[in-house]
Amino acid sequence: MTQGAGQDPVERTATLRDFRVPPYARVPVQGHAGEPPVPPADPTLHLGTRPAAYPEPVAFPDPPARPEPTYTEPPARSEPAYTEAPARPEPAAYTEAPARPEPVAHPEPQAPVAHTGAAHPPAAPTAAAPAHPGSGGFPDDFPDGYTPTERDLPVIQRGDTLQVPVAPAAAPAPAPTGDGPGPLYVVGDVHGYLDELVAALRAQGLVDENGGWAAGNARLWFLGDFTDRGPDGIGVIDLVMRLSAEAAAAGGYCKALMGNHELLLIGAKRFGDTPVNSGAGTATFQAAWLLNGGQKHDMDRLQDVHLQWMSRLDAVVREDDHLLLHSDTTAYLDYGGTIEDVNDTVHEILTRNDADEVWDLFRKFTKRFAFRDDGGPQAVQELLGTYGGSRVVHGHSPIPYLLGQVGTEDGEEEPRPVVDGPHVYADGLAIAMDGGVTMAGKLLVVRLPLGD
């Protein structure tokens, strides 16, 4: 529990525990988008694969390329040759025509459908299929200190809670503010929940019913973490990239910050199972990505354009006296004394493409909770004093965890709070924007300053 919940203050964790690869995380990712993961040894369960036990369609006789005159359609032909048929010397050949297989008897239009798995008993293969990484199917005996989310952020699936779908009414588009910059909006962690994102943007009048930019010269900042855990991370990236172009054409802009999950996905794609120096045993980006909700269908659809876009994202910006960053940590100070220095250093690390350097960057950007205990206001002031601004706005740590109302270390389950807006804390110096969409919370899109 946190101090804000009426309990003793939580001792802030100074550093992130490193990853060690357990045996269960060393296997390749299984499955295809849109279907449950299956063991690769059984190709019959993969879409587009024909079970070997069934005959191929070529076993069926093909219909003749050209229909022969069997006299089954005499009204369609008016040539006199048919009227002379009784006088022909070999009428027996025509009387045998009905015994020949008719084209309508060929069953091949139905055979491929029956052989694609509809009649194939799926019970045995699916019963042995392992749980998809990131879906809560991991064993409970993780090595101590393996992941930064195992103790601080226990995995809570959206399916574990009652979902009440709500279709928010679209708000009117933000009114243009003359020649100057338009209103400022920020978006919390999305984590692949594309439908929820579009609904939240539409509720603020930022996009129209077709998902196109509708906010004129408004300014929109995403605070990072577009992929992992949710159903369509690449779809989220594609949307943000498209809105960036549409907003620029309308006189506004849509921009994004780099989150720790962007670094994780970049590392998993570039380095895979390459060991990195974690300081606590062997670690790999792929193992960390799987354990933190990496989705096979996102990796399958990841293209160079997505990697280049993520690699060029800034880590820190200042807008309207708000210091925007992804993680609630002071680790940004390790990378420069100005906003420009921090962003340049991060870009240089990704350009050098050194696995150990990228891992250390990911590890530091995964730290959390620096602003929530007794030293929180001082930590925020250190960032503001270095980079400017009067308030820090961040994502990364879900609001329910900052409130200490979800996930205690002794495993007790407590009522989950209802998140209906940002959480202001650290003596009013910090604004948390991660509403916990991955745990049946709310994907937050709000206008700054709060109250506008």
Side-chain angles (χ1 to χ4, degrees), residues 218-432:
R219 297 167 293 160
L220 179 63
W221 274 100
F222 285 81
L223 300 181
D225 278 9
F226 303 102
T227 66
D228 303 337
R229 300 196 176 108
D232 194 1
I234 299 302
V236 171
I237 293 178
D238 286 337
L239 174 65
V240 178
M241 293 173 65
R242 175 172 60 80
L243 291 179
S244 297
E246 294 176 358
Y253 62 71
C254 169
K255 299 183 180 181
L257 293 177
M258 181 178 295
N260 61 305
H261 279 263
E262 280 68 66
L263 293 169
L264 186 57
L265 183 57
I266 292 171
K269 180 66 173 180
R270 287 185 181 179
F271 309 117
D273 285 324
T274 301
V276 294
N277 296 323
S278 70
T282 303
T284 72
F285 272 103
Q286 178 172 319
W289 176 70
L290 289 173
L291 190 60
N292 283 272
Q295 301 294 308
K296 174 68 162 54
H297 50 268
D298 281 346
M299 186 64 75
D300 289 342
R301 296 163 56 201
L302 184 64
Q303 301 177 19
D304 288 342
V305 65
H306 301 129
L307 289 170
Q308 294 170 3
W309 181 79
M310 289 189 293
S311 299
R312 295 169 182 167
L313 297 177
D314 285 338
V316 186
V317 297
R318 190 172 69 246
E319 288 280 358
D320 294 356
D321 215 28
H322 291 88
L323 186 64
L324 309 182
L325 39 80
H326 173 71
S327 304
D328 46 329
T329 178
T330 59
Y332 295 92
L333 297 169
D334 295 344
Y335 294 95
T338 67
I339 290 176
E340 293 75 15
D341 288 344
V342 174
N343 294 329
D344 288 346
T345 301
V346 170
H347 295 155
E348 289 170 2
I349 290 174
L350 293 175
T351 300
R352 284 195 292 269
N353 208 35
D354 181 272
D356 289 331
E357 273 194 306
V358 177
W359 176 267
D360 191 60
L361 181 64
F362 158 70
R363 182 179 65 86
K364 289 182 178 179
F365 278 21
T366 308
K367 294 180 180 181
R368 65 176 79 248
F369 300 149
F371 311 148
R372 73 172 185 176
D373 58 11
D374 285 340
Q378 181 179 353
V380 177
Q381 289 172 348
E382 187 176 4
L383 286 172
L384 297 176
T386 302
Y387 303 129
S390 60
R391 264 183 172 179
V392 164
V393 183
H394 70 86
H396 189 47
S397 291
I399 292 171
Y401 294 105
L402 289 170
L403 296 174
Q405 295 175 324
V406 174
T408 58
E409 291 190 0
D410 57 9
E412 294 180 359
E413 185 68 18
E414 300 181 16
R416 296 173 186 173
V418 176
V419 176
D420 56 7
H423 172 51
V424 181
Y425 67 117
D427 292 348
L429 297 175
I431 302 175

Side-chain angles (χ1 to χ4, degrees), residues 60 77 140 179 183 288 337 394 401 436 449:
F60 296 100
R77 302 179 63 91
D140 295 328
D179 296 333
H394 70 86
Y401 294 105

Side-chain angles (χ1 to χ4, degrees), residues 80 160 195 205 231 445:
D160 296 338
D195 292 343
V445 178

